[in-house]
């Protein structure tokens, strides 16, 4: 069997699924000058991010999940009035997209 390169597999996936960005960027509102926050798409999270998410989910702690997603951005997110529940909605939306199918029944991601 041919040796596989995980890096090459990741790059091929990115190329063949351009609608799945590595980073998700969002603002809390649509105001000019609003801070832009950035999280890894769940498919591209690091091991550290995945471990932090798993721990937060095991504790059913939405605030820890938000901290796991946002890292150093969390305090600014909170200060700007960001709502943890809205971040959870963003994740749910991403999950729906990852599990969706097109008109022919093919996975969307």
């Amino acid at each position: 069997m041919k040796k596989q390169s995980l890096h090459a597999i990741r790059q091929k996936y990115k190329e063949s699924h351009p609608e799945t960005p590595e980073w998700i960027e969002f603002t809390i509102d649509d105001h000019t000058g609003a801070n832009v926050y950035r999280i890894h798409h769940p498919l591209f999270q690091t091991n550290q991010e995945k471990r932090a998410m798993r721990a937060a989910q095991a504790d059913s702690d939405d605030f820890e999940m938000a901290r796991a997603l946002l890292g150093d951005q969390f305090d600014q997110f909170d200060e700007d009035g960001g709502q943890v529940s809205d971040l959870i909605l963003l994740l749910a939306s991403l999950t729906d997209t990852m599990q969706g199918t097109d008109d022919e029944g093919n996975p969307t991601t």
Side-chain angles (χ1 to χ4, degrees):
M1 181 175 176
K2 179 183 169 192
K3 179 176 72 171
Q4 298 283 322
S5 163
L6 295 179
H7 176 74
I9 290 170
R10 176 184 287 254
Q11 293 309 314
K12 184 174 182 178
Y13 185 88
K14 286 180 182 179
E15 290 170 11
S16 64
H17 295 80
E19 72 284 354
T20 305
E22 181 172 358
W23 293 95
I24 306 299
E25 293 186 339
F26 62 93
T27 59
I28 293 171
D29 54 43
D30 295 329
H31 295 227
T32 303
N35 284 322
V36 176
Y37 297 93
R38 182 174 134 129
I39 61 172
H40 263 127
H41 188 286
L43 287 174
F44 299 110
Q45 288 175 334
T46 66
N47 288 350
Q48 181 179 355
E49 290 167 328
K50 288 194 177 292
R51 285 183 188 107
M53 285 292 293
R54 185 181 326 132
Q57 289 168 335
D59 292 340
S60 298
D61 189 330
D62 290 347
F63 283 93
E64 286 306 312
M65 190 178 316
R67 284 185 187 283
L69 285 168
L70 290 167
D72 293 341
Q73 302 171 96
F74 179 80
D75 289 337
Q76 185 65 53
F77 174 82
D78 193 35
E79 188 178 307
D80 285 348
Q83 299 296 307
V84 170
S85 55
D86 291 341
L87 197 54
I88 303 303
L89 289 172
L90 174 62
L91 280 181
S93 174
L94 292 171
T95 300
D96 287 348
T97 301
M98 290 177 2
Q99 296 175 348
T101 57
D102 63 18
D103 293 337
E104 297 175 9
N106 298 314
T108 54
T109 57

